[in-house]
Amino acid sequence: MDMWENADASARIIEDLGLNWTAAQRYEYLSKVKVVDLPRLDEPYPIDNYFAAGTPKAKYEWEAYWEGKSLKDPRDNRGLRREIVDVDYSRFRYIIQQDESVIFRDAATKEIVLVVLRNFIPNEELRMTMVDTCKEIIKYRRDDRREDPGMLVHFGYTCGPRHKPQIQMAACCLALNTEEKQARENRLNDDAQGMAGIMWNLMRSRLPPEIIADYNDTIAKNDFPRMDMMKDDGTFTYKVNDEDAIFETGENGLELPPPSGLSAINYARYTHKEVNGNNWIIACTCNAPDDPTKGGNFYLASYGIMMLPASNTVSAWHPGDHHGTTLYEMMEGKERRAGFEVRQDGGFNTGLVFEISRSLGGARKKSTWLDERKLGISKHHSEPDMLQDHRLRDDHQDFERGRPLIRDRRGSSHRRRTRKLKTRARETKPHFSGSESDSGIILPRIASIRL
């Protein structure tokens, strides 16, 4: 496809998907969405810092599964596994049905606290392509929340390791020690950016403008890069209707997505709240199980709202409000290790999230390569140069969570996390094996590493 054909194809896709709606089109779309005012609860429900089980069976299964298993990180919750409580559905003030789009406002302030929009992606083939991309990201990225069920992994830019914070590309969980693996990593980054680019512009066209402004104002104020995957050319590429379309940002009204994204599969977390770099989190559930009665349901505990899961749903909420996801009826996956748990009903929940970490600001101040890039100074930072050894992800997780890094008396982090692949004294010889999970993902793992 030549340049003019691609421009025509991209323009047609932008129009068909509605990636650059006007303010009037967005207003017309949102005017049809139900609005509900609710008062904030005096105490969150479900209760703070406890896992909430979607069913009594789910509670029994997770308690049995976790019995006798220590936390991977003894600093998490003082080394104690969080307790599980049963959910009393009668205590929820509102349960959002699977076919229901709703905007919730605080009854006192009239400020939006939760947005749920169903049937969001207007192209079924595109939605399924995004499901495949999410699976691929999860396959080659390391789980960032290892004490929680399921997986949550980064793509795009991250804060880097705690001992040397700077904005860098999310690292692959495997060594990129061949040209083939590096090419695969580059393709995955392109696909992740393309998926995020289309999703972000769909959100810009449809979500209340104050949510989008919160992201863009935070990016501008802190001089964060958008998710350009170090290409700095203002474009993203993705397959739509069997066409690899290149989308240019700027004059056509499109934007690159925010710097950081996450993909998740079968992820659940206890009732909690967060302090992020901005005031909103936006998530898209690309695929969800059909049966909402087995658990795995998101809730906004500060207002007593539960959302029944449905494929093709976008939701947005304040990270500073208590929220979580109920535990689902589960069984151990073929991998037989944490993060690879599967649902008994055979369904799976996967999608992507946009969030800006509170640590990204500090990392930006130390990212001189971004300043040099703005000034046109090139030091030839290739993507493999910026990707860190997968073991540095432990430091990154600690940095994201604001935890102190445990170091030995020589000042080195445990397991010599700070060494990069290219500076090791001796050759690393990874031996890989793989297995297929119950969700259909071929999951690579490192069986052993000899140093």
Side-chain angles (χ1 to χ4, degrees):
M1 183 183 300
D2 63 28
M3 179 178 65
W4 301 113
E5 289 176 336
N6 179 79
D8 291 341
S10 298
R12 184 174 66 255
I13 293 170
I14 290 170
E15 179 68 23
D16 291 345
L17 296 180
L19 298 183
N20 59 354
W21 277 1
T22 65
Q25 288 173 302
R26 179 179 61 234
Y27 177 82
E28 181 182 2
Y29 172 81
L30 291 175
S31 67
K32 301 174 183 177
V33 178
K34 181 179 181 180
V35 177
V36 175
D37 291 348
L38 287 177
R40 178 182 292 272
L41 296 176
D42 293 334
E43 296 291 336
Y45 186 80
I47 188 172
D48 185 28
N49 209 35
Y50 284 79
F51 278 104
T55 68
K57 186 171 183 285
K59 181 176 185 293
Y60 172 80
E61 289 166 350
W62 282 101
E63 286 178 337
Y65 176 67
W66 280 334
E67 185 177 5
K69 294 180 180 178
S70 59
L71 298 180
K72 292 183 179 296
D73 188 343
R75 295 165 292 179
D76 185 55
N77 198 40
R78 304 188 306 278
L80 303 175
R81 194 173 291 280
R82 288 173 175 82
E83 296 182 38
I84 306 173
V85 296
D86 285 312
V87 169
D88 180 357
Y89 288 89
S90 68
R91 293 187 61 180
F92 285 105
R93 290 181 169 175
Y94 199 106
I95 297 180
I96 308 168
Q97 300 305 304
Q98 290 178 297
D99 60 351
E100 187 178 19
S101 295
V102 194
I103 296 175
F104 290 91
R105 301 188 305 180
D106 183 278
T109 66
K110 303 303 179 184
E111 293 181 351
I112 295 174
V113 297
L114 175 65
V115 178
V116 176
L117 302 176
R118 308 291 194 179
N119 300 317
F120 191 79
I121 303 167
N123 181 306
E124 180 64 13
E125 183 179 340
L126 173 61
R127 181 184 72 84
M128 293 307 301
T129 302
M130 290 182 172
V131 170
D132 292 339
T133 299
C134 288
K135 287 183 177 181
E136 195 76 0
I137 293 170
I138 293 161
K139 177 178 175 180
Y140 291 110
R141 295 289 182 269
R142 185 171 180 175
D143 185 12
D144 277 2
R145 299 281 175 84
R146 290 173 292 163
E147 310 304 347
D148 298 334
M151 289 189 181
L152 184 70
V153 306
H154 274 90
F155 64 90
Y157 287 121
T158 73
C159 302
R162 182 180 175 84
H163 78 282
K164 190 178 180 182
Q166 69 167 331
I167 292 177
Q168 63 181 45
M169 295 288 293
C172 181
C173 65
L174 303 178
L176 302 177
N177 51 8
T178 67
E179 290 185 2
E180 180 182 1
K181 292 176 182 177
Q182 291 182 9
R184 180 196 64 208
E185 179 71 5
N186 290 338
R187 287 194 300 271
L188 178 56
N189 283 333
D190 286 343
D191 287 345
Q193 184 205 26
M195 174 183 69
I198 288 179
M199 182 57 64
W200 175 248
N201 285 284
L202 283 170
M203 292 171 173
R204 286 179 65 233
S205 292
R206 290 158 174 79
L207 284 171
E210 56 264 43
I211 298 176
I212 301 303
D214 173 66
Y215 279 84
N216 286 341
D217 291 347
T218 301
I219 291 169
K221 178 181 177 181
N222 293 276
D223 195 23
F224 291 144
R226 304 192 81 93
M227 194 187 294
D228 57 20
M229 300 307 198
M230 302 187 69
K231 294 183 295 185
D232 195 28
D233 63 1
T235 67
F236 59 90
T237 304
Y238 204 61
K239 184 179 290 295
V240 182
N241 299 330
D242 291 326
E243 295 181 75
D244 288 321
I246 301 175
F247 299 90
E248 296 184 356
T249 59
E251 292 183 0
N252 60 8
L254 302 187
E255 280 183 351
L256 287 176
S260 303
L262 300 103
S263 283
I265 189 165
N266 292 338
Y267 183 70
R269 202 171 200 212
Y270 54 89
T271 306
H272 67 288
K273 63 180 180 178
E274 307 159 27
V275 178
N276 282 1
N278 67 321
N279 295 321
W280 285 94
I281 292 178
I282 312 176
C284 178
T285 301
C286 295
N287 190 86
D290 294 330
D291 186 357
T293 67
K294 307 301 182 183
N297 303 345
F298 175 85
Y299 55 84
L300 189 66
S302 291
Y303 290 86
I305 303 169
M306 171 171 280
M307 178 177 69
L308 299 185
S311 298
N312 203 6
T313 296
V314 158
S315 54
W317 67 94
H318 295 292
D321 287 335
H322 285 92
H323 58 282
T325 302
T326 60
L327 296 176
Y328 43 86
E329 295 178 9
M330 58 81 71
M331 60 184 181
E332 193 170 34
K334 293 179 181 179
E335 286 284 323
R336 302 182 65 82
R337 56 193 174 109
F340 292 85
E341 305 88 2
V342 296
R343 296 176 58 102
Q344 285 188 0
D345 59 12
F348 68 96
N349 190 312
T350 193
L352 65 149
V353 177
F354 290 121
E355 74 163 10
I356 299 178
S357 167
R358 62 176 174 175
S359 301
L360 204 63
R364 173 62 185 92
K365 293 175 182 177
K366 297 180 180 295
S367 301
T368 56
W369 69 271
L370 283 168
D371 301 320
E372 292 163 357
R373 187 173 74 171
K374 290 178 64 176
L375 294 172
I377 303 172
S378 175
K379 289 195 175 182
H380 306 290
H381 291 293
S382 65
E383 290 186 10
D385 290 335
M386 296 297 293
L387 293 171
Q388 303 293 314
D389 186 329
H390 67 278
R391 290 175 299 177
L392 289 179
R393 298 291 292 164
D394 288 337
D395 284 3
H396 167 66
Q397 292 163 28
D398 294 335
F399 185 64
E400 289 277 358
R401 301 178 190 180
R403 295 176 179 158
L405 180 65
I406 297 176
R407 298 184 179 275
D408 61 25
R409 286 178 294 177
R410 294 170 296 178
S412 299
S413 60
H414 287 322
R415 292 182 291 171
R416 298 183 181 272
R417 296 173 183 163
T418 60
R419 279 184 300 180
K420 299 181 182 179
L421 282 172
K422 61 185 294 185
T423 59
R424 288 178 180 169
R426 293 183 295 276
E427 180 183 3
T428 299
K429 300 179 180 179
H431 296 265
F432 304 108
S433 61
S435 64
E436 184 170 351
S437 75
D438 291 357
S439 58
I441 310 173
I442 303 299
L443 300 162
R445 64 177 183 271
I446 299 178
S448 63
I449 296 182
R450 295 196 298 269
L451 297 179

Short mmCIF file of all heavy atoms in Angstrom, two decimals, residues 308-330:
data_model
loop_
_atom_site.label_atom_id
_atom_site.label_comp_id
_atom_site.label_asym_id
_atom_site.label_seq_id
_atom_site.Cartn_x
_atom_site.Cartn_y
_atom_site.Cartn_z
N LEU A 308 -21.57 -5.58 36.78
CA LEU A 308 -21.52 -6.93 36.21
C LEU A 308 -20.67 -6.88 34.94
O LEU A 308 -20.82 -5.97 34.11
CB LEU A 308 -22.93 -7.43 35.89
CG LEU A 308 -23.88 -7.54 37.08
CD1 LEU A 308 -25.19 -8.18 36.64
CD2 LEU A 308 -23.26 -8.31 38.23
N PRO A 309 -19.76 -7.85 34.77
CA PRO A 309 -18.83 -7.79 33.65
C PRO A 309 -19.50 -8.11 32.32
O PRO A 309 -20.40 -8.95 32.25
CB PRO A 309 -17.79 -8.87 34.01
CG PRO A 309 -18.54 -9.84 34.85
CD PRO A 309 -19.54 -9.04 35.62
N ALA A 310 -19.05 -7.44 31.28
CA ALA A 310 -19.50 -7.71 29.91
C ALA A 310 -18.39 -7.33 28.96
O ALA A 310 -17.66 -6.36 29.18
CB ALA A 310 -20.77 -6.92 29.59
N SER A 311 -18.24 -8.11 27.91
CA SER A 311 -17.25 -7.79 26.88
C SER A 311 -17.56 -6.42 26.28
O SER A 311 -18.70 -5.98 26.24
CB SER A 311 -17.25 -8.85 25.78
OG SER A 311 -16.89 -10.12 26.29
N ASN A 312 -16.48 -5.76 25.82
CA ASN A 312 -16.61 -4.49 25.10
C ASN A 312 -17.17 -3.38 25.98
O ASN A 312 -18.08 -2.66 25.60
CB ASN A 312 -17.49 -4.68 23.86
CG ASN A 312 -17.22 -3.63 22.80
OD1 ASN A 312 -16.30 -2.81 22.92
ND2 ASN A 312 -18.02 -3.64 21.74
N THR A 313 -16.60 -3.26 27.18
CA THR A 313 -17.04 -2.26 28.14
C THR A 313 -15.88 -1.34 28.51
O THR A 313 -14.78 -1.81 28.81
CB THR A 313 -17.56 -2.92 29.43
OG1 THR A 313 -18.73 -3.69 29.13
CG2 THR A 313 -17.92 -1.89 30.49
N VAL A 314 -16.12 -0.04 28.51
CA VAL A 314 -15.15 0.94 29.03
C VAL A 314 -15.68 1.51 30.33
O VAL A 314 -16.87 1.81 30.45
CB VAL A 314 -14.89 2.06 28.00
CG1 VAL A 314 -14.33 3.32 28.67
CG2 VAL A 314 -13.91 1.58 26.95
N SER A 315 -14.79 1.63 31.31
CA SER A 315 -15.17 2.21 32.60
C SER A 315 -14.08 3.17 33.05
O SER A 315 -12.91 3.01 32.70
CB SER A 315 -15.39 1.12 33.65
OG SER A 315 -14.27 0.25 33.74
N ALA A 316 -14.46 4.17 33.83
CA ALA A 316 -13.52 5.16 34.35
C ALA A 316 -13.93 5.52 35.77
O ALA A 316 -15.11 5.68 36.06
CB ALA A 316 -13.50 6.41 33.46
N TRP A 317 -12.93 5.63 36.65
CA TRP A 317 -13.19 5.95 38.06
C TRP A 317 -11.98 6.66 38.66
O TRP A 317 -10.90 6.71 38.05
CB TRP A 317 -13.52 4.68 38.85
CG TRP A 317 -12.37 3.72 38.98
CD1 TRP A 317 -11.47 3.63 40.00
CD2 TRP A 317 -11.98 2.70 38.03
NE1 TRP A 317 -10.55 2.63 39.76
CE2 TRP A 317 -10.84 2.05 38.56
CE3 TRP A 317 -12.48 2.29 36.79
CZ2 TRP A 317 -10.21 1.00 37.89
CZ3 TRP A 317 -11.84 1.25 36.12
CH2 TRP A 317 -10.73 0.61 36.67
N HIS A 318 -12.16 7.21 39.85
CA HIS A 318 -11.07 7.87 40.56
C HIS A 318 -10.26 6.84 41.34
O HIS A 318 -10.84 6.10 42.15
CB HIS A 318 -11.61 8.92 41.53
CG HIS A 318 -12.29 10.07 40.88
ND1 HIS A 318 -11.61 11.00 40.11
CD2 HIS A 318 -13.60 10.45 40.85
CE1 HIS A 318 -12.46 11.90 39.66
NE2 HIS A 318 -13.67 11.59 40.09
N PRO A 319 -8.93 6.78 41.15
CA PRO A 319 -8.13 5.81 41.91
C PRO A 319 -8.17 6.06 43.42
O PRO A 319 -7.97 5.13 44.20
CB PRO A 319 -6.72 5.99 41.35
CG PRO A 319 -6.71 7.36 40.74
CD PRO A 319 -8.09 7.57 40.24
N GLY A 320 -8.47 7.29 43.83
CA GLY A 320 -8.54 7.61 45.25
C GLY A 320 -9.81 7.14 45.93
O GLY A 320 -9.93 7.24 47.16
N ASP A 321 -10.77 6.63 45.16
CA ASP A 321 -11.96 6.01 45.73
C ASP A 321 -11.71 4.52 45.92
O ASP A 321 -11.04 3.88 45.11
CB ASP A 321 -13.18 6.20 44.83
CG ASP A 321 -13.69 7.63 44.84
OD1 ASP A 321 -13.45 8.34 45.83
OD2 ASP A 321 -14.33 8.05 43.84
N HIS A 322 -12.26 3.94 47.00
CA HIS A 322 -12.07 2.51 47.25
C HIS A 322 -12.74 1.70 46.14
O HIS A 322 -13.89 1.97 45.76
CB HIS A 322 -12.67 2.13 48.60
CG HIS A 322 -11.84 2.57 49.77
ND1 HIS A 322 -12.02 3.78 50.40
CD2 HIS A 322 -10.82 1.95 50.41
CE1 HIS A 322 -11.15 3.91 51.38
NE2 HIS A 322 -10.41 2.81 51.42
N HIS A 323 -12.02 0.71 45.64
CA HIS A 323 -12.52 -0.14 44.58
C HIS A 323 -11.84 -1.50 44.64
O HIS A 323 -10.87 -1.69 45.37
CB HIS A 323 -12.31 0.50 43.20
CG HIS A 323 -10.87 0.81 42.89
ND1 HIS A 323 -10.21 1.90 43.42
CD2 HIS A 323 -9.96 0.16 42.12
CE1 HIS A 323 -8.96 1.92 42.98
NE2 HIS A 323 -8.79 0.87 42.20
N GLY A 324 -12.31 -2.44 43.87
CA GLY A 324 -11.72 -3.77 43.82
C GLY A 324 -12.48 -4.66 42.86
O GLY A 324 -13.40 -4.21 42.16
N THR A 325 -12.09 -5.95 42.81
CA THR A 325 -12.75 -6.93 41.96
C THR A 325 -12.94 -8.21 42.76
O THR A 325 -12.01 -8.68 43.42
CB THR A 325 -11.91 -7.23 40.70
OG1 THR A 325 -11.70 -6.01 39.98
CG2 THR A 325 -12.61 -8.23 39.79
N THR A 326 -14.14 -8.78 42.71
CA THR A 326 -14.42 -9.97 43.52
C THR A 326 -13.65 -11.19 43.02
O THR A 326 -13.37 -11.33 41.82
CB THR A 326 -15.92 -10.28 43.52
OG1 THR A 326 -16.35 -10.53 42.17
CG2 THR A 326 -16.72 -9.12 44.10
N LEU A 327 -13.34 -12.07 43.95
CA LEU A 327 -12.71 -13.35 43.60
C LEU A 327 -13.73 -14.23 42.88
O LEU A 327 -14.91 -14.27 43.23
CB LEU A 327 -12.21 -14.05 44.85
CG LEU A 327 -11.09 -13.34 45.62
CD1 LEU A 327 -10.77 -14.12 46.89
CD2 LEU A 327 -9.85 -13.18 44.77
N TYR A 328 -13.25 -14.96 41.88
CA TYR A 328 -14.10 -15.81 41.07
C TYR A 328 -13.88 -17.28 41.42
O TYR A 328 -12.87 -17.66 42.02
CB TYR A 328 -13.80 -15.59 39.58
CG TYR A 328 -12.31 -15.50 39.27
CD1 TYR A 328 -11.55 -16.65 39.03
CD2 TYR A 328 -11.67 -14.26 39.24
CE1 TYR A 328 -10.19 -16.56 38.76
CE2 TYR A 328 -10.31 -14.17 38.97
CZ TYR A 328 -9.57 -15.32 38.73
OH TYR A 328 -8.23 -15.23 38.49
N GLU A 329 -14.83 -18.11 41.04
CA GLU A 329 -14.68 -19.55 41.23
C GLU A 329 -13.55 -20.03 40.32
O GLU A 329 -13.57 -19.80 39.11
CB GLU A 329 -16.00 -20.26 40.92
CG GLU A 329 -17.10 -19.88 41.90
CD GLU A 329 -18.44 -20.53 41.61
OE1 GLU A 329 -18.48 -21.43 40.73
OE2 GLU A 329 -19.43 -20.16 42.26
N MET A 330 -12.57 -20.69 40.92
CA MET A 330 -11.30 -20.91 40.22
C MET A 330 -10.81 -22.35 40.35
O MET A 330 -11.34 -23.14 41.13
CB MET A 330 -10.23 -19.98 40.80
CG MET A 330 -9.98 -20.13 42.30
SD MET A 330 -8.89 -21.51 42.81
CE MET A 330 -7.30 -20.91 42.22
#
